[in-house]
Amino acid sequence: MDTPELLHRTLLYALHLELGAKMVPFAGYEMPVQYPAGVLKEHLHTRAHAGLFDVSHMGQAFLSGADPAAALEKLTPADVSGLKEGMQRYGLLLTHQGTIRDDFMFSRLAGEAPLYLVVNAGCKEGDFAYISAELKGAATLTTRNDRALLALQGPEAAKVLERHSPGISDLTFMRVVRASVAGAPAIISRTGYTGEDGFEISIEGADAEKVARALLAEPEVMPIGLGARDSLRLEAGLCLYGHDMDDTIDPVEANLVWSIGKRRKTEGGFAGADIVQDKLLNGVAKKRVGILPEGRAPAREGTEIAWNGRIIGKVTSGGFGPSLNGPLAMGYVESEFAETGTKIELIVRGNRLAAAVAAMPFVPHTYKRK
Amino acid sequence: MSETRFTDQHEWVRLEGDTATVGITKYAAEALGDVVFVELPAKGRKVGAGGEAAVVESVKAASEVYAPVGGEVSEANSALEAAPATVNDDPEGAGWFFKLKGVAPGDFTKLMTQAAYAEFVKGL
């Protein structure tokens, strides 16, 4: 028998149990994979109304110093210095080999010098140690694992949050603000991981349960577990770190070049810049693509991808999309097969199933841009 | 006269004469969650007791369905292909997966009775 892993719990652990969640180990935490409604209903509810996710396992931190943006640019090819006040942006944290150590969100809060960072749960300890060590002398990282993080996602999220944070619905996509929610001080961004309009709400640990209960009490809101979080993000074409990218993959292969600032492409000055710039110029051997199987059979992570019987890649995330009402996947294929519409085969249980390279997102994003 | 027996892999099997009907238990259907896809064995395929016979997939994961007893596939419940959620709605009835003929009675009586399975599930 395996030695049981010592698992952390978020501040909402008791609430998850009260709501009837099925708890599973994830990234070192005991997390709700689903509630009694089940993955399918939770997924569809989020796309139709609003879903509340506990994502407190993610790593939150502030980066301070004389010029934290210039410092952070040493580790990410994103344009950090150009980020305006009140804005949030997506970035990749790179190794010195130009591969992806993690992906993260960074924000510049109005009137505040430190940058606010959110990194993946499974990477946070390593990320924070890496950032602290690499930026020593230039910037100071203050981790805030004591804070909670909630995501309220779906077409009715704004209407719901407005009741607890008047004026918040004026915030547009990728903007961030300090505001009060249900009487608790919060950092609220209009972002998420579902492809839907929605918010991420960072609050003090002591307020976590109060805020979660206030939002769950709204008739539009249902608690949503990690199962539906995964199917929602896959339909939205969003990467899951450790699956769709890791430290063997570079930003060009991962098809995340859009996250590299224009200035940064030419100027460089980030970890692995020479390697990334070379790949930008000369191309890469494989690329991340979306995949739509023609039949009903899902192709799971690890499924081999073939073309005329020759293996050309592998699925990195795959399953069933409840909103798509069919199977979907993403994976890596040799670059010459990365064109949308290319016919490929998925080797599922020894059978070659017809599929095609597809554009992502699979389900259109509904972000509130203006 | 038919009798239903159960496996520790959460299949049920109902024997009538030498023909067995196989499905997954209510416990298994609940643990899997919403079934979105099933892959059924071809008619005429011979399977040994404990052999992989079908696949059931939820949003999250794929699971094998094993043949609780050996035999030859005489019928598959193709209605499940269009309506996989039947496995959740009526796992031990309309949600059956396949039928086997030529079943050895000895294979069958080795399996758990309803009472023994209920006890087994309680211990999980």
Side-chain angles (χ1 to χ4, degrees):
Chain A
M1 218 179 132
D2 295 331
T3 311
E5 196 185 347
L6 276 176
L7 295 171
H8 299 284
R9 292 172 174 179
T10 74
L11 293 156
L12 297 177
Y13 178 81
L15 179 59
H16 296 314
L17 294 188
E18 184 186 314
L19 293 167
K22 187 198 275 186
M23 307 298 284
V24 298
F26 179 82
Y29 281 78
E30 253 183 288
M31 296 298 289
V33 65
Q34 64 174 78
Y35 297 88
V39 178
L40 199 69
K41 286 196 183 74
E42 290 172 26
H43 177 116
L44 295 172
H45 184 92
T46 304
R47 291 245 189 270
H49 305 286
L52 186 74
F53 304 72
D54 176 18
V55 287
S56 302
H57 56 319
M58 298 187 78
Q60 301 184 64
F62 289 89
L63 189 68
S64 56
D67 190 346
L72 190 57
E73 285 196 347
K74 290 180 185 166
L75 301 178
T76 178
D79 179 5
V80 188
S81 297
L83 184 70
K84 293 196 172 69
E85 282 198 357
M87 299 294 294
Q88 187 172 70
R89 195 168 273 172
Y90 174 86
L92 298 172
L93 191 66
L94 298 187
T95 67
H96 287 281
Q97 289 70 48
T99 60
I100 305 173
R101 206 181 194 294
D102 197 5
D103 62 347
F104 69 112
M105 304 295 285
F106 58 94
S107 305
R108 190 189 290 278
L109 290 154
E112 297 179 29
L115 295 169
Y116 166 60
L117 311 182
V118 180
V119 305
N120 280 303
C123 305
K124 67 181 175 186
E125 282 173 37
D127 284 356
F128 291 159
Y130 180 66
I131 295 169
S132 296
E134 294 282 330
L135 304 187
K136 204 170 175 202
T140 305
L141 191 78
T142 307
T143 60
R144 291 303 306 268
N145 294 332
D146 56 315
R147 289 181 75 89
L149 190 62
L150 303 175
L152 184 68
Q153 300 280 299
E156 292 176 342
K159 181 168 81 178
V160 167
L161 196 59
E162 181 69 26
R163 288 177 210 142
H164 299 276
S165 188
I168 200 68
S169 51
D170 293 337
L171 201 70
T172 52
F173 183 58
M174 296 303 268
R175 287 184 181 271
V176 59
V177 71
R178 280 197 192 267
S180 141
V181 55
I187 299 170
I188 303 178
S189 62
R190 194 140 192 183
T191 48
Y193 192 46
T194 61
E196 292 297 320
D197 178 29
F199 301 85
E200 290 189 330
I201 305 158
S202 169
I203 40 185
E204 298 288 343
D207 295 322
E209 196 172 326
K210 176 178 79 174
V211 174
R213 283 187 190 278
L215 296 173
L216 285 169
E218 298 295 343
E220 296 90 343
V221 180
M222 188 185 259
I224 311 296
L226 291 178
R229 183 167 161 83
D230 191 52
S231 54
L232 287 159
R233 70 90 196 167
L234 183 54
E235 283 185 343
L238 301 171
C239 291
L240 175 60
Y241 190 81
H243 299 259
D244 306 308
M245 58 191 179
D246 56 31
D247 61 6
T248 69
I249 297 288
D250 65 63
V252 186
E253 291 169 333
N255 209 358
L256 295 170
V257 172
W258 59 267
S259 75
I260 304 179
K262 209 175 275 180
R263 165 179 60 85
R264 310 296 319 277
K265 281 182 195 167
T266 47
E267 279 182 20
F270 52 88
D274 293 353
I275 300 167
V276 173
Q277 284 172 322
D278 173 70
K279 302 212 175 197
L280 282 167
L281 202 66
N282 298 314
V284 287
K286 59 176 179 178
K287 271 192 176 157
R288 182 175 65 93
V289 295
I291 298 161
L292 280 176
E294 282 179 13
R296 300 291 297 169
R300 306 284 172 176
E301 181 177 359
T303 299
E304 285 186 310
I305 304 168
W307 185 82
N308 270 354
R310 181 167 76 80
I311 303 301
I312 56 157
K314 207 176 248 190
V315 168
T316 51
S317 282
F320 180 88
S323 302
L324 197 66
N325 190 25
L328 75 173
M330 64 169 89
Y332 284 80
V333 295
E334 293 175 12
S335 298
E336 61 178 296
F337 302 101
E339 205 68 39
T340 295
T342 306
K343 299 285 182 196
I344 54 172
E345 296 149 359
L346 301 166
I347 315 295
V348 176
R349 293 179 286 276
N351 299 313
R352 283 200 257 164
L353 306 181
V357 172
M360 291 189 284
F362 298 100
V363 171
H365 295 158
T366 58
Y367 305 140
K368 290 288 172 284
R369 291 184 191 273
K370 275 282 173 296
Chain B
M1 193 52 206
S2 70
E3 193 195 343
T4 306
R5 295 263 178 146
F6 300 81
T7 73
D8 60 1
Q9 298 293 312
H10 307 285
E11 289 97 9
W12 57 263
V13 51
R14 192 168 60 239
L15 192 66
E16 286 159 286
D18 77 337
T19 297
T21 306
V22 178
I24 65 168
T25 65
K26 189 164 177 284
Y27 176 88
E30 279 173 11
L32 268 171
D34 306 293
V35 174
V36 296
F37 176 77
V38 295
E39 190 174 286
L40 300 165
K43 193 177 165 178
R45 198 178 121 191
K46 290 192 173 70
V47 288
E52 291 172 6
V55 174
V56 57
E57 303 205 22
S58 66
V59 179
K60 223 23 212 158
S63 308
E64 308 284 353
V65 179
Y66 301 97
V69 292
E72 182 186 322
V73 176
S74 59
E75 197 182 343
N77 186 6
S78 56
L80 296 185
E81 287 167 354
T86 309
V87 176
N88 298 108
D89 298 339
D90 191 9
E92 298 182 18
W96 63 277
F97 276 65
F98 54 87
K99 293 185 183 189
L100 298 167
K101 65 180 181 186
V103 172
D107 272 6
F108 184 76
T109 48
K110 268 189 268 182
L111 302 172
M112 282 184 266
T113 61
Q114 178 117 42
Y117 178 70
E119 206 50 42
F120 170 71
V121 166
K122 225 186 280 174
L124 293 176

